[in-house]
Amino acid sequence: MDRHFEEASMSGNISGRLDRATASRSFTKRAPLGVRIMLAAFAVLAIAFAVLAGVNIDAQRQYDAATQTLTENLETASRNDADLKQLLTSQQELDARFASITGKSAVLLPQISESTTYNAQVSKQLTDLVQQQVDADAAKNDSQQSGQHGEQPKSLDSLTEEQRKQVEELLRSNEELGKSEDSTNESNGGQGERENDSPSRPSNVKPW
């Protein structure tokens, strides 16, 4: 009887040790799996941040180029000898470029998104002014052609005095705001992106 008791006791001890060993191996296997899951999550986040950074860098590059074109077109529109048809074509392409950037506003940094939105509105204002004058010139040429069949239509006139004043105001505001932004960037000393806390812009939107 004692022998049976000893055998049962030994069997229980062995079984207990096997259970503990199995539990220990289970725990050892679970730990690396959890670590792998965490590493995978960090990798996904790193990729997401890299993609967002790339999108913003590309958007900033497109914004800078579009803003430069807008400034040049404003200067062109203010001249008496401006080629309005060519300017209108350039403006229509520029509006499309701004629309492409603003279409990504959900993933853009606030500074890029807001600046692009403002300049897109200014570009649209200039496009509307040029389009109005092109339409007016086309109507005038049609009228002249109907009255004098042998006469060649006149070339497009430049913007009216009132329209040029509006363009000059937009251009002046563009230059002032550009200088203000440059000054702000220098004073920040490269501290990185932060929310624009300047006073609200007037209702007639200005560039930059």
Side-chain angles (χ1 to χ4, degrees):
M1 183 176 186
D2 291 340
R3 188 176 60 206
H4 289 305
F5 178 78
E6 289 176 0
E7 289 176 355
S9 176
M10 289 178 61
S11 176
N13 289 338
I14 293 172
S15 176
R17 286 197 296 270
L18 287 174
D19 289 343
R20 287 193 294 273
T22 301
S24 177
R25 284 197 298 272
S26 265
F27 177 79
T28 304
K29 289 179 180 178
R30 287 195 196 100
L33 178 61
V35 171
R36 286 198 298 271
I37 292 174
M38 277 182 26
L39 290 175
F42 281 128
V44 170
L45 287 175
I47 292 172
F49 280 122
V51 170
L52 289 177
V55 170
N56 277 273
I57 290 172
D58 183 60
Q60 180 69 57
R61 188 181 301 112
Q62 293 182 47
Y63 165 78
D64 290 340
T67 299
Q68 178 63 33
T69 300
L70 176 59
T71 301
E72 293 171 355
N73 286 355
L74 286 168
E75 293 173 348
T76 299
S78 66
R79 297 202 302 262
N80 292 330
D81 60 347
D83 184 336
L84 295 187
K85 278 191 173 180
Q86 182 177 347
L87 180 59
L88 179 60
T89 299
S90 176
Q91 274 300 120
Q92 290 169 339
E93 293 173 353
L94 183 59
D95 288 343
R97 288 163 63 187
F98 276 123
S100 175
I101 304 172
T102 55
K104 308 171 188 173
S105 59
V107 295
L108 296 181
L109 293 172
Q111 181 179 353
I112 299 175
S113 178
E114 292 170 6
S115 298
T116 303
T117 298
Y118 283 125
N119 277 7
Q121 293 179 7
V122 171
S123 180
K124 185 64 170 61
Q125 290 178 13
L126 178 58
T127 302
D128 289 344
L129 285 173
V130 177
Q131 183 70 67
Q132 289 172 11
Q133 189 58 43
V134 168
D135 291 343
D137 289 335
K140 183 170 65 175
N141 286 337
D142 288 343
S143 176
Q144 289 174 345
Q145 283 182 326
S146 63
Q148 301 176 359
H149 297 287
E151 182 177 330
Q152 293 295 324
K154 295 182 179 179
S155 59
L156 289 175
D157 294 335
S158 61
L159 297 177
T160 65
E161 187 64 28
E162 181 180 354
Q163 289 170 333
R164 277 202 300 273
K165 286 181 180 179
Q166 294 180 52
V167 170
E168 288 170 358
E169 181 182 351
L170 291 174
L171 180 58
R172 190 161 47 248
S173 299
N174 181 283
E175 292 173 346
E176 291 173 356
L177 288 170
K179 291 177 181 177
S180 174
E181 186 175 86
D182 290 341
S183 176
T184 301
N185 289 338
E186 290 175 2
S187 63
N188 286 341
Q191 292 179 359
E193 302 289 349
R194 66 183 186 183
E195 185 175 352
N196 184 7
D197 56 357
S198 60
S200 299
R201 286 179 172 84
S203 57
N204 54 332
V205 180
K206 307 299 183 185
W208 220 266

